[in-house]
Amino acid sequence: METTVCLAVNGTLMRGLELNGNMTLVGAQFVRESLTEPAYRLWSIGDRYPAMMRVQQGGVSVAVEIWSVPASGIGALLLLEPPGLAIGKVRLVDGEEVLGVLGEAFLCEGQKEITRWQGWRAYIAHLENNKEDTVMSEKPVDAAEFVEQMAAVIGLPLQPDHQPGVVDNVTRIIALAQLVAEFSLPEEIEIAPVFQP
């Protein structure tokens, strides 16, 4: 009987996700769901897969799946992983230490930290639930129609010779608003009540 090792996976190798077929390809068997001890942080690598790193402070318990992997399959599994992911030791919330998929520091530089979701599944569920909030409406705004409707709503008489200038200004405002709406900010950024450079 071949020796097996426990492997904690925290991203696309989990059941039902994109690279789970790699687990079955090497003969791995799902054992259980678990959590790491609260000593890890998590990053989204281009929203394609996560990278988990152990930290000395500010860590959380990350949701993982424990798989039993034939020892001979560990190397093959690692070769199928995206660059920058490695196999290392991971401590679980119950104190057990197993092998696990970890991200190298360089991989996380400049990427979105997603630690607050405490797991890849929770983060991708957040993305799915908030798709409509990520960009402004796909339907382009007709500035002339908007000006006409808003003038009627607020009871503002708009002289015909003033309308082209107002429409031009509203068109500029819409373009600037679109730029702001499409600018990606880290999730931990919060609106400040007072601007302080």
Side-chain angles (χ1 to χ4, degrees), residues 7 13 22 26 69 73-88 100-102 104:
L7 180 70
L13 289 175
N22 294 349
V26 299
V69 183
I74 291 287
L77 191 60
L78 183 57
L79 290 173
L80 295 171
E81 282 290 87
L85 295 181
I87 304 285
V101 179
L102 298 168
E104 296 183 50

Side-chain angles (χ1 to χ4, degrees), residues 9-169:
V9 298
N10 61 75
T12 56
L13 289 175
M14 294 190 294
R15 291 171 298 156
L17 299 183
E18 295 88 338
L19 298 181
N20 181 250
N22 294 349
M23 298 296 280
T24 54
L25 183 68
V26 299
Q29 297 289 318
F30 173 76
V31 177
R32 69 183 190 278
E33 293 180 352
S34 189
L35 295 169
T36 66
E37 69 176 355
Y40 295 87
R41 297 188 76 78
L42 201 59
W43 282 263
S44 171
I45 310 305
D47 285 347
R48 294 183 316 275
Y49 57 90
M52 182 175 78
M53 288 179 56
R54 186 177 176 83
V55 294
Q56 290 188 9
Q57 58 186 24
V60 300
S61 291
V62 174
V64 294
E65 287 184 356
I66 308 302
W67 286 71
S68 176
V69 183
S72 63
I74 291 287
L77 191 60
L78 183 57
L79 290 173
L80 295 171
E81 282 290 87
L85 295 181
I87 304 285
K89 291 184 179 177
V90 171
R91 187 174 301 274
L92 302 178
V93 71
D94 62 5
E96 180 183 4
E97 193 172 73
V98 297
L99 293 181
V101 179
L102 298 168
E104 296 183 50
F106 82 89
L107 182 63
C108 301
E109 291 175 9
Q111 299 294 327
K112 184 189 314 180
E113 185 169 356
I114 59 170
T115 301
R116 70 178 176 166
W117 281 278
Q118 297 183 276
W120 183 243
R121 284 189 196 278
Y123 174 68
I124 58 176
H126 160 77
L127 289 181
E128 289 298 316
N129 292 334
N130 293 294
K131 273 187 178 176
E132 65 279 359
D133 296 337
T134 58
V135 293
M136 291 179 72
S137 171
E138 296 292 322
K139 181 183 173 192
V141 176
D142 181 326
E145 182 180 329
F146 177 79
V147 167
E148 185 178 313
Q149 289 175 353
M150 288 300 102
V153 167
I154 63 174
L156 177 69
L158 190 58
Q159 300 298 322
D161 58 328
H162 292 162
Q163 188 167 356
V166 174
V167 170
D168 285 347
N169 283 326

